[in-house]
Amino acid sequence: MQGEFRLAGSIGEFVSQLKLPREAEHKLLLWQSVGGSKRNKVEGVFCSIKKEKDRVIIIIELDQTSSFNQKESIFILDDEFGLLFKGQYEFCVNKKLQLVVDDKVFLREKRKQDRYNFHYTKVNVSLVYQDSVPIDNATVRNLNEAGASIIVKDTIGNKLKVGSDISLTKIHGITLPRQIDGTIAHITSSKNVRGLEGSFLVIGVKFNQKSKLLLKVFQSM
């Protein structure tokens, strides 16, 4: 299990990610604690997903017949697509397991390039939301030429929406010669991001195109 996981910004984000392994039909690992450090493990594949009001229900076809403790959570890992979550048992018939997904679903950050991380240095940035709303009181958590993780106040972040356009215009006091356009990939509370303290929102931004401009900015800082 490689990489850093973050809590899904919404259950809708999780459902969209579930469609990938369902279409690919590759193996999932399921396990349940059966006392102490012992775990009951079994493999399976996704069959279906459905939403019922505030519940997300999934059905997994198991490789082999297996029994579960109906009172204990069942954990599911999709290592290839980067999904880690747990669910509550509902029934298991003919190796078809149905469970209700827990609200806390973790997604692995998918990054092909290494990012510049700013854990001890405060780097301010300015952005423009939807081509008209300026955002000046923001800081960068990490970024590279493909995307960025940006920290904003709750009062600002609560007005933003996933999938909306957002552009980076200034980094650490340096005005960019041209703005770097992108979209909001996720909005996550700082309470659900490991290693962060305080009450604010973390915005994941995916740039529309890779930008070499960022490297030049860092070289001049």
Side-chain angles (χ1 to χ4, degrees):
M1 187 166 57
Q2 302 293 325
E4 180 181 350
F5 283 79
R6 64 171 175 84
L7 193 64
S10 68
I11 200 68
E13 183 184 5
F14 167 63
V15 170
S16 67
Q17 291 294 316
L18 272 179
K19 295 178 181 179
L20 298 175
R22 183 182 62 179
E23 295 170 356
E25 294 187 352
H26 63 85
K27 298 295 182 181
L28 306 171
L29 174 64
L30 296 83
W31 73 90
Q32 187 180 58
S33 298
V34 292
S37 59
K38 187 177 180 181
R39 293 178 177 178
N40 178 28
K41 298 180 181 179
V42 64
E43 291 186 332
V45 295
F46 279 113
C47 290
S48 63
I49 312 165
K50 61 181 178 180
K51 294 183 68 176
E52 291 185 354
K53 295 183 179 179
D54 58 345
R55 303 197 315 164
V56 174
I57 298 173
I58 65 172
I59 295 179
I60 299 174
E61 183 173 359
L62 306 177
D63 280 0
Q64 62 189 49
T65 301
S66 183
S67 60
F68 296 93
N69 183 336
Q70 299 182 22
K71 296 182 180 180
E72 296 290 335
S73 297
I74 300 171
F75 293 84
I76 300 95
L77 170 67
D78 183 326
D79 201 21
E80 181 176 344
F81 282 90
L83 297 171
L84 176 63
F85 61 99
K86 65 180 178 179
Q88 185 60 46
Y89 177 98
E90 287 212 321
F91 65 78
C92 187
V93 178
N94 296 326
K95 296 191 293 185
K96 295 288 184 67
L97 170 66
Q98 177 168 309
L99 52 83
V100 179
V101 177
D102 187 273
D103 288 341
K104 291 185 177 180
V105 177
F106 292 87
L107 307 177
R108 183 189 295 122
E109 294 284 15
K110 300 175 181 178
R111 301 169 185 164
K112 294 182 179 179
Q113 301 90 10
D114 291 335
R115 289 196 175 191
Y116 294 95
N117 293 288
F118 303 98
H119 299 304
Y120 307 104
T121 303
K122 185 176 181 180
V123 176
N124 296 317
V125 294
S126 295
L127 308 121
V128 175
Y129 178 66
Q130 297 285 59
D131 294 325
S132 61
V133 182
I135 301 174
D136 294 318
N137 297 319
T139 58
V140 173
R141 183 168 181 246
N142 53 60
L143 84 165
N144 65 11
E145 62 184 28
S149 177
I150 298 172
I151 299 171
V152 299
K153 295 180 179 179
D154 289 349
T155 52
I156 296 173
N158 289 332
K159 298 177 182 178
L160 310 180
K161 293 183 179 180
V162 173
S164 298
D165 295 333
I166 195 164
S167 302
L168 183 63
T169 60
K170 185 184 295 185
I171 301 176
H172 206 50
I174 300 175
T175 300
L176 302 178
R178 58 182 179 278
Q179 67 183 31
I180 301 175
D181 299 324
T183 57
I184 298 176
H186 72 83
I187 301 175
T188 306
S189 170
S190 59
K191 298 177 183 178
N192 299 322
V193 180
R194 185 176 60 189
L196 293 183
E197 297 180 357
S199 179
F200 45 84
L201 294 175
V202 178
I203 300 172
V205 177
K206 181 180 180 182
F207 299 141
N208 295 340
Q209 295 180 337
K210 292 181 180 179
S211 176
K212 299 294 185 182
L213 180 59
L214 289 173
L215 179 59
K216 294 180 181 179
V217 171
F218 284 118
Q219 289 174 342
S220 66
M221 288 173 59

